[in-house]
């Protein structure tokens, strides 16, 4: 089949495993990881944008991302090639079964970072390599085999970093955290308010109540103002293009961003950029 006729992106899923094959630079729509996951970049690279900043990971990289975490990703194919990756997600049900079978209890809250590298671990690299034939040969996995491979991944993670047990097997809801600090570091993530509420350890009603008490305005109004302020700074101070900025600060489309920007500042973002 001619390359022009190939789809720009193919994602195949087998149970809790996902294989991605992408021909063009692609920015993910999803900005929230509901479940813990591990991933392996086979070809190309991925840019991760978190509250801590931007990091780029090249082919051969392996990593762990915790659940209930906000992150933006951009997948970048190599020159003339395709971006390839494979990932595995851990459902709470699978982790609870493992914890019960192995009589695991959390000894203390996990205080590690939300993403960390698994590079250089030959056992995890071998694990990912063992998954590829199922996608390359379109070989289905039985539920029993999926459970075995998931448990293998858990075993290897705990071998790599025993402290991860305090994260993987903590099934409590997120505890209530400082609202002002969290929102100021995560305003650029375009997720629903109920997601922000859960991530800060609140019900939606409690989130709105605490938010208006803290900021003296509704969450929606504050988010728009904060995003526009950051966009203005990036364009005027750092010389960024409006077409690059609007997604970075949390807007969904350029036209809506331009409308809101002009209403707030009296000129369009493109006029400010000149």
């Amino acid at each position: 089949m001619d390359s022009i006729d190939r789809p720009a992106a193919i994602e195949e899923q087998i149970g809790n495993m996902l294989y991605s094959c992408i021909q063009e630079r692609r920015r993910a729509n999803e900005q929230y990881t509901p479940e813990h996951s591990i991933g392996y970049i086979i070809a190309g690279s991925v840019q991760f944008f978190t509250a801590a900043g931007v990091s780029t990971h090249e082919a051969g990289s392996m990593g762990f991302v915790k659940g209930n975490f906000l992150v933006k990703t951009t997948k970048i194919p190599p020159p003339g090639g395709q971006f390839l990756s494979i990932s595995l997600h851990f459902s709470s049900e699978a982790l609870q079964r493992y914890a019960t079978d192995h009589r695991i209890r959390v000894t203390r809250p996990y205080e590690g970072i939300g993403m960390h590298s698994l590079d250089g671990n030959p056992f995890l690299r071998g694990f990912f390599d063992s998954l590829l034939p199922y996608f390359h040969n379109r070989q289905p996995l039985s539920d029993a085999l999926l459970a075995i491979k998931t448990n293998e991944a858990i075993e290897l993670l705990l071998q790599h970093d025993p402290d991860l047990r305090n994260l993987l097997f903590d099934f409590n809801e997120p505890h209530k955290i400082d609202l002002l600090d969290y929102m100021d570091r995560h305003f650029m993530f375009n997720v629903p308010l109920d997601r922000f509420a859960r991530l800060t350890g609140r019900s939606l009603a409690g989130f709105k109540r605490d938010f208006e008490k803290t900021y003296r305005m509704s969450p929606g109004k504050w988010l728009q103002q904060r995003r526009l302020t950051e966009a203005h700074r990036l364009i005027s101070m750092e010389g960024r293009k409006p077409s690059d900025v609007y997604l970075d600060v949390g807007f969904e489309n350029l036209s809506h961003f331009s409308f809101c920007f002009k209403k707030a500042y009296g000129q369009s973002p493109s006029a400010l950029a000149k």
Side-chain angles (χ1 to χ4, degrees):
M1 183 171 62
D2 188 270
S3 60
I4 297 177
D5 299 322
R6 293 175 186 160
I10 297 175
E11 292 190 327
E12 299 181 45
Q13 186 150 5
I14 300 177
N16 58 333
M17 301 185 302
L18 181 68
Y19 180 75
S20 297
C21 177
I22 298 171
Q23 286 186 291
E24 300 173 354
R25 184 184 179 100
R26 186 184 184 193
R27 192 163 184 160
N29 293 325
E30 182 60 56
Q31 300 182 331
Y32 170 70
T33 58
E35 299 174 334
H36 305 305
S37 64
I38 56 175
Y40 168 44
I41 304 171
I42 304 168
S45 60
V46 179
Q47 289 180 340
F48 289 93
F49 179 75
T50 70
V54 182
S55 60
T56 301
H57 300 267
E58 304 292 341
S61 296
M62 300 179 292
F64 172 85
V65 180
K66 74 173 186 177
N68 293 326
F69 189 66
L70 292 175
V71 58
K72 300 179 184 181
T73 62
T74 300
K75 298 176 180 179
I76 307 168
Q82 298 172 318
F83 170 86
L84 302 173
S85 71
I86 189 166
S87 59
L88 183 146
H89 301 266
F90 301 100
S91 69
S92 59
E93 293 80 11
L95 292 170
Q96 285 173 340
R97 283 195 299 269
Y98 187 95
T100 299
D101 292 343
H102 294 79
R103 298 180 181 180
I104 293 177
R105 293 184 179 180
V106 172
T107 57
R108 58 183 174 79
Y110 177 76
E111 298 179 350
I113 58 178
M115 292 175 54
H116 67 86
S117 172
L118 302 174
D119 292 352
N121 188 309
F123 304 104
L124 282 163
R125 173 62 183 270
F127 169 77
F128 282 115
D129 287 341
S130 75
L131 301 180
L132 292 175
Y134 295 102
F135 291 98
H136 292 169
N137 298 290
R138 300 183 180 276
Q139 176 67 37
L141 274 77
S142 66
D143 290 342
L145 189 51
L146 280 170
I148 290 171
K149 299 304 288 185
T150 299
N151 286 345
E152 180 185 356
I154 296 171
E155 290 275 358
L156 292 173
L157 275 177
L158 294 177
Q159 182 187 77
H160 178 82
D161 183 358
D163 190 44
L164 283 175
R165 65 184 289 143
N166 294 310
L167 174 62
L168 293 172
F169 307 113
D170 184 355
F171 305 113
N172 296 314
E173 289 294 311
H175 64 280
K176 195 172 184 178
I177 62 175
D178 182 82
L179 189 64
L180 193 151
D181 175 68
Y182 187 86
M183 293 304 297
D184 197 57
R185 290 187 296 111
H186 295 87
F187 68 87
M188 71 292 294
F189 292 95
N190 192 345
V191 295
L193 290 183
D194 60 352
R195 186 66 67 200
F196 277 127
R198 186 174 188 277
L199 290 170
T200 57
R202 294 164 170 83
S203 66
L204 180 57
F207 175 77
K208 290 180 178 179
R209 181 178 60 250
D210 289 352
F211 200 99
E212 295 192 16
K213 183 179 179 180
T214 301
Y215 291 101
R216 306 297 181 186
M217 66 178 69
S218 69
K221 184 176 181 180
W222 181 87
L223 281 167
Q224 179 169 291
Q225 287 186 2
R226 184 67 181 86
R227 289 164 177 168
L228 288 172
T229 299
E230 179 64 7
H232 190 280
R233 185 189 72 81
L234 291 172
I235 295 170
S236 62
M237 303 288 290
E238 297 189 11
R240 297 278 302 279
K241 295 179 180 179
S243 57
D244 294 333
V245 163
Y246 79 97
L247 287 172
D248 287 348
V249 300
F251 279 86
E252 290 185 345
N253 62 73
L254 182 58
S255 60
H256 181 241
F257 165 66
S258 298
F259 173 81
C260 294
F261 192 98
K262 186 173 183 179
K263 185 176 180 180
Y265 294 105
Q267 63 177 332
S268 67
S270 58
L272 177 64
K274 291 180 179 179

